[in-house]
Amino acid sequence: VQLQASGGGLVQAGGSLTLSCVASGSTFSNYAMGWFRQAPGKEREFVAAISWSGTSTNYADAVRGRFTISRDNAKNTVHLQMNSLKPEDTAVYYCAADGRRYRASWYYHHAQFDYWGQGTLVTVSS
């Protein structure tokens, strides 16, 4: 599966942004999906995951209550709605796919995902 992320940009603290990731080359509903982020000099960290059906989601503590992951299997797309953004949310955001179709609560680390998009930069100014 190939993944193409988009939607990043510059936003002020407290603002909102929605990232999208379009999948191609394989049956999208065969994959659990995740979003990760990587700030300069830091390790890639888990942000959110969603099951293949969209019925279960999982979030990192740092974003729970502010970010929402969703998917549209008919459009081969996963979204990350980001609200109440903070400067510490600044990072390159990556979407990822895993073909094992576990529940979202199982996912928490980048090593669990086999397929990656190219990343989209989110910058939150204070």
Side-chain angles (χ1 to χ4, degrees), residues 1-6 18-24 26-29 31-35 50-54 69-80 95-96:
V1 62
Q2 292 80 47
L3 304 174
Q4 180 74 37
S6 62
T18 299
L19 306 182
S20 297
C21 175
V22 178
S24 62
S26 189
T27 303
F28 184 59
S29 60
Y31 298 88
M33 298 297 295
W35 284 97
I50 188 166
S51 62
W52 66 272
S53 63
I69 188 171
S70 62
R71 67 188 294 160
D72 185 340
N73 285 348
K75 296 183 178 180
N76 294 347
T77 304
V78 61
H79 301 286
L80 185 69
C95 60

Side-chain angles (χ1 to χ4, degrees), residues 19 36-37 47 67 80 82 89 91-95 119-120 122:
L19 306 182
F36 289 77
R37 66 187 182 187
V47 175
F67 291 11
L80 185 69
M82 305 184 293
D89 294 319
V92 177
Y93 283 70
Y94 299 88
C95 60
T120 185
V122 173

Side-chain angles (χ1 to χ4, degrees), residues 36-101:
F36 289 77
R37 66 187 182 187
Q38 188 165 18
K42 294 189 176 182
E43 187 174 336
R44 189 168 298 188
E45 66 174 1
F46 171 76
V47 175
I50 188 166
S51 62
W52 66 272
S53 63
T55 55
S56 68
T57 57
N58 188 29
Y59 297 93
D61 290 343
V63 307
R64 187 174 290 113
R66 300 188 297 122
F67 291 11
T68 302
I69 188 171
S70 62
R71 67 188 294 160
D72 185 340
N73 285 348
K75 296 183 178 180
N76 294 347
T77 304
V78 61
H79 301 286
L80 185 69
Q81 172 69 43
M82 305 184 293
N83 297 328
S84 302
L85 282 161
K86 306 175 181 180
E88 51 263 44
D89 294 319
T90 295
V92 177
Y93 283 70
Y94 299 88
C95 60
D98 175 64
R100 287 168 290 183
R101 302 176 73 184

